[in-house]
Amino acid sequence: MKPNPNHLYTIKDLRFSYPLEEQRVQALRDVTLTIEKGEFACLSGPSGSGKTTLLNILGLIESVQEGVVFFQDRELKALSEREKNRIRRYKIGFVFQSFQLFPVLRADENVEYFLTRQGIPRKERLKRVDEALDAVGLREHRAKRPLEMSGGQRQRVALARAIAKRPEVIIADEPTASLDQNTGRGIMEIFKRMNDEKRVTVIVSSHDPMVHAFAPRRLEMKDGFLC
Amino acid sequence: MLIRLAFRNLFRNPRRTATVVLTVAMGTGSLFIFDGFNAGIMNQYRENTVHSRYGHGQVNTNGYREKVFEKPWEHWMTNYPALQERLTRVPGVLYLFPRVEFFSLLTNGKITVSGRGQGVDGRAEAKFFTTLNVVDGMTLSDQEDGILLGLGLARALDTRIGDRVTVLANTIHGTMNAADLTVTGIFHTGSKDFDDVVFRIPLKQAQTVLDTERVESVAFGLNAVEDWTRVADVVRAEYPDLEATPFAVLDKVYYQNSVDWLGQQFAVIQLIILAIVLLGIFNTVSTSVLERKQEIGNLRANGESKGQIVLLLGWEGFALGVLGAVLGIVIAWMITAVFLRNGILMPPAPGLTRQFHVRIELQAAMALGSFIMGAAAAMVGTLLASFRVARMPIGEALRSI
């Protein structure tokens, strides 16, 4: 199987199960899907439908058990741990429902952290931090620590952190679930802008209709199947 | 940035950080004080040995100590004044104690027992052999006709302080000779074999009884134990027919074996302290690290390798270890200076009947050793905990609450 070069992800017959006591729970069943570069897709479906599991596989967080998944032209099963780390570090930005910021670092330091890990020189890092914080409208809050910020501000810092990496894809798992509608809308607008202006591929999971409205492509999931 | 994050993480949960730091501090402080106590007790033990019987060492003719001779005096040193003149010039030598030993009979007119006499320079030895355990009367000093008896010997003769005792011995020419002496004191070393037979009389009296000017051995009182090397070097270089033996060899059965035995015991206790510190830190740090599973999952999701997670947590462990170890050493120093200034009162040591204080002898090298051990234990405890969490699958770490 040779993936189309325009596809960021090529997925065929993907199956995934979790162990639960002595049994296994099937989280994904025969999922076949392609996601093009620059696409904005939203995974929707009820809790337990397999959205997070699929996102985790796309984010190289979970390993492929059965089926084939390509990230660009690389088959995930063939990647070493080191190669996966490298792809996650340089090509994928994550936004989680619970923000996952470092409480001991300031907003700008949170954004800068993974840039340091990418080996980017300080001057360039600071430029990117400024740009990312500008993009999410938090430049004036750069010196605040996460605990001094509201939920929406924290999620915007998390988004700035993902943007600053200049990834191929931003994977966001329920990014608005901890936020009120207005704040969530603000976050989604930033995602939309990033996708429109920077052509960053965005894959979001949510069961919120407000979020679905932002995504040109909606992928409905149910009981591990892609409907 | 990694180091900055590691250090700032120490302030996330100040109470837990304080618990770990105090655990390390207690462990390091205990090791430090224990090391100081160990050194104190070893020094005390060494001082007891040196100042009770042997001095810092002694000189005999070559091979004299290893062999038994029919006429031992034929192997004694002949020109002591010349030897004395040279050896007193060796740096660090404070006293020379010429001695002779001989077998004899002791009688009080009613009871006669055999004994082993030591002719000693009472005046000189009284200044140096301060820990000889005299249980009654006083040690031999200026008394020209004094005799100091071992406890068993005194009991056998049923003598008291001031009683007269006659020492009968063969001269080196084979004729009988005798000296009437007055009991000045009774000593007790705890060694029954020694206390039952040994007595001390002035060297001049012994030489008169034996009819010789020779001395069997010369013991040394030095400024410090380290000065012995110089004495041994001079003897080796200038007196090829003599040999110098340090006190640790002379008293191998009691001193060196005890030092080795105690050293081994201390090493085991030290290991136990380290194990307790390690477990305490591992337990506390494990809890702290496991509470951060989600954060560690996030780091891994963003491309950090398992090794980098271990490195991050290792830096935290390093900081905790250094902080705790420094605190422990400062606290130990303060406790020693304030509460243990006079040392720790110990029960009588082997050969003594009186209690004694062991000073806690803290040294910079010990502080460094304890610091390294305490900090390393913290590092190891943290690394053990971090290996556990770094191995966790990323998805599982992110899902954890």
Side-chain angles (χ1 to χ4, degrees):
Chain A
M1 183 178 170
K2 195 170 163 101
N4 183 325
N6 291 326
H7 293 170
L8 188 68
Y9 287 104
T10 307
I11 303 163
K12 188 163 168 40
D13 300 331
L14 177 64
R15 295 172 138 255
F16 192 92
S17 64
Y18 291 105
L20 183 67
E21 294 177 353
E22 288 179 3
Q23 294 184 323
R24 292 194 76 83
V25 176
Q26 202 65 36
L28 294 177
R29 301 164 197 263
D30 300 322
V31 173
T32 297
L33 168 73
T34 55
I35 294 175
E36 290 185 18
K37 288 177 183 169
E39 205 172 354
F40 190 154
C42 177
L43 291 173
S44 64
S47 293
S49 59
K51 302 188 298 289
T52 299
T53 304
L54 182 55
L55 282 186
N56 282 352
I57 290 173
L58 298 180
L60 282 65
I61 285 171
E62 298 284 6
S63 298
V64 177
Q65 291 172 349
E66 289 179 67
V68 180
V69 180
F70 278 92
F71 177 77
Q72 296 172 325
D73 60 345
R74 311 290 305 274
E75 195 194 340
L76 299 193
K77 262 186 185 170
L79 296 178
S80 66
E81 185 66 32
R82 194 185 176 92
E83 287 170 316
K84 284 184 193 172
N85 285 342
R86 197 169 167 78
I87 291 174
R88 286 196 301 261
R89 181 179 293 173
Y90 291 98
K91 299 195 171 182
I92 303 175
F94 289 95
V95 179
F96 299 102
Q97 178 186 341
S98 51
F99 322 132
Q100 298 294 350
L101 300 175
F102 302 113
V104 292
L105 298 183
R106 299 190 318 246
D108 54 353
E109 290 171 330
N110 262 286
V111 177
E112 190 189 354
Y113 184 82
F114 290 120
L115 303 183
T116 315
R117 310 303 298 154
Q118 285 183 336
I120 295 169
R122 184 175 158 74
K123 200 173 167 187
E124 170 67 13
R125 281 200 317 259
L126 296 180
K127 187 172 151 249
R128 284 206 203 178
V129 169
D130 287 345
E131 282 173 6
L133 286 174
D134 276 344
V136 299
L138 276 183
R139 194 162 188 170
E140 69 277 20
H141 297 287
R142 61 184 304 140
K144 285 186 181 170
R145 295 205 177 175
L147 290 176
E148 298 163 342
M149 303 171 107
S150 67
Q153 287 174 326
R154 286 186 218 177
Q155 193 61 297
R156 280 196 276 164
V157 175
L159 187 47
R161 184 168 69 179
I163 293 166
K165 282 172 75 176
R166 296 195 180 159
E168 302 272 344
V169 56
I170 294 177
I171 292 176
D173 189 9
E174 303 274 6
T176 61
S178 306
L179 310 172
D180 61 66
Q181 280 286 305
N182 278 341
T183 314
R185 194 182 307 279
I187 294 292
M188 290 313 298
E189 279 165 0
I190 299 169
F191 274 117
K192 182 74 182 146
R193 203 168 63 239
M194 287 300 114
N195 179 248
D196 288 343
E197 293 172 6
K198 311 274 182 191
R199 301 305 301 156
V200 180
T201 309
V202 178
I203 308 170
V204 184
S205 82
S206 178
H207 45 249
D208 184 347
M210 181 274 288
V211 174
H212 303 162
F214 277 91
R217 185 178 179 196
R218 188 169 156 203
L219 301 161
E220 179 76 27
M221 295 198 72
K222 192 176 178 188
D223 296 333
F225 289 106
L226 193 61
C227 306
Chain B
M1 198 69 164
L2 182 84
I3 297 172
R4 195 190 309 168
L5 179 63
F7 278 78
R8 289 212 196 149
N9 274 335
L10 300 182
F11 300 98
R12 287 172 74 148
N13 189 337
R15 193 179 296 176
R16 181 157 297 135
T17 300
T19 308
V20 178
V21 167
L22 283 177
T23 308
V24 180
M26 274 181 63
T28 309
S30 305
L31 284 172
F32 192 28
I33 290 181
F34 185 68
D35 239 4
F37 173 75
N38 188 3
I41 209 161
M42 292 296 191
N43 284 349
Q44 185 71 51
Y45 198 39
R46 186 182 65 197
E47 289 304 298
N48 280 348
T49 305
V50 167
H51 290 278
S52 63
R53 282 165 67 176
Y54 293 101
H56 287 96
Q58 72 180 38
V59 168
N60 299 91
T61 51
N62 261 330
Y64 182 78
R65 288 177 49 253
E66 285 82 35
K67 293 178 192 161
V68 177
F69 300 100
E70 185 191 356
K71 295 174 179 175
W73 49 83
E74 290 177 352
H75 304 272
W76 290 1
M77 291 170 275
T78 50
N79 191 0
Y80 173 66
L83 185 67
Q84 180 187 31
E85 194 277 325
R86 172 66 187 100
L87 292 179
T88 46
R89 284 193 283 116
V90 176
V93 173
L94 300 178
Y95 304 103
L96 290 179
F97 308 113
R99 291 171 172 179
V100 295
E101 276 200 18
F102 58 99
F103 287 97
S104 73
L105 295 172
L106 292 98
T107 179
N108 60 3
K110 295 174 194 164
I111 303 163
T112 302
V113 293
S114 62
R116 204 169 90 219
Q118 294 182 335
V120 300
D121 181 348
R123 185 179 300 174
E125 296 211 1
K127 290 178 197 162
F128 186 79
F129 291 94
T130 49
T131 59
L132 178 67
N133 195 30
V134 178
V135 292
D136 197 6
M138 63 180 75
T139 191
L140 211 54
S141 179
D142 289 333
Q143 314 87 337
E144 287 177 4
D145 65 342
I147 182 168
L148 187 68
L149 296 170
L151 183 62
L153 203 53
R155 282 183 182 156
L157 287 166
D158 192 24
T159 53
R160 307 270 184 279
I161 304 302
D163 287 355
R164 300 286 287 178
V165 169
T166 303
V167 172
L168 299 156
N170 277 330
T171 66
I172 62 170
H173 311 294
T175 55
M176 283 298 284
N177 204 352
D180 287 327
L181 305 162
T182 305
V183 177
T184 61
I186 295 166
F187 66 85
H188 170 63
T189 65
S191 164
K192 191 170 185 312
D193 290 349
F194 190 80
D195 295 342
D196 282 356
V197 294
V198 172
F199 65 90
R200 284 183 168 181
I201 63 173
L203 179 66
K204 284 282 168 218
Q205 281 285 3
Q207 287 176 322
T208 304
V209 169
L210 297 171
D211 194 18
T212 183
E213 297 272 300
R214 296 180 175 195
V215 296
E216 182 183 13
S217 64
V218 179
F220 289 78
L222 305 176
N223 190 36
V225 175
E226 295 72 35
D227 294 326
W228 175 255
T229 319
R230 280 198 284 265
V231 173
D233 287 346
V234 169
V235 171
R236 199 178 305 114
E238 299 178 24
Y239 299 94
D241 53 337
L242 300 182
E243 69 178 352
T245 313
F247 72 93
V249 177
L250 293 171
D251 195 22
K252 181 168 170 46
V253 172
Y254 279 96
Y255 177 75
Q256 197 56 52
N257 290 356
S258 300
V259 166
D260 294 344
W261 190 79
L262 282 172
Q264 199 64 26
Q265 200 178 33
F266 285 142
V268 171
I269 295 171
Q270 216 164 34
L271 271 179
I272 292 170
I273 294 175
L274 273 177
I276 292 169
V277 172
L278 199 69
L279 279 175
I281 291 164
F282 176 67
N283 190 34
T284 320
V285 173
S286 283
T287 316
S288 143
V289 165
L290 290 175
E291 277 176 4
R292 288 161 53 192
K293 279 191 285 191
Q294 272 200 349
E295 178 188 316
I296 288 161
N298 176 38
L299 284 162
R300 295 276 287 118
N302 278 284
E304 298 288 44
S305 65
K306 291 172 190 171
Q308 280 155 338
I309 299 297
V310 171
L311 191 65
L312 170 72
L313 297 172
W315 274 112
E316 291 184 31
F318 174 76
L320 288 170
V322 168
L323 210 65
V326 168
L327 185 68
I329 283 166
V330 171
I331 290 173
W333 216 298
M334 284 166 65
I335 288 175
T336 306
V338 177
F339 299 109
L340 300 173
R341 203 172 32 207
N342 298 322
I344 296 172
L345 189 61
M346 296 291 289
L352 296 178
T353 52
R354 58 179 180 272
Q355 294 176 312
F356 64 101
H357 280 89
V358 170
R359 287 178 61 84
I360 311 293
E361 296 185 15
L362 301 180
Q363 297 161 7
M366 290 174 192
L368 184 66
S370 306
F371 171 83
I372 289 170
M373 280 194 271
M379 281 282 287
V380 171
T382 311
L383 288 177
L384 286 175
S386 63
F387 284 135
R388 268 175 70 185
V389 78
R391 276 203 306 265
M392 188 178 279
I394 305 171
E396 193 184 316
L398 284 168
R399 279 193 297 276
S400 60
I401 300 163

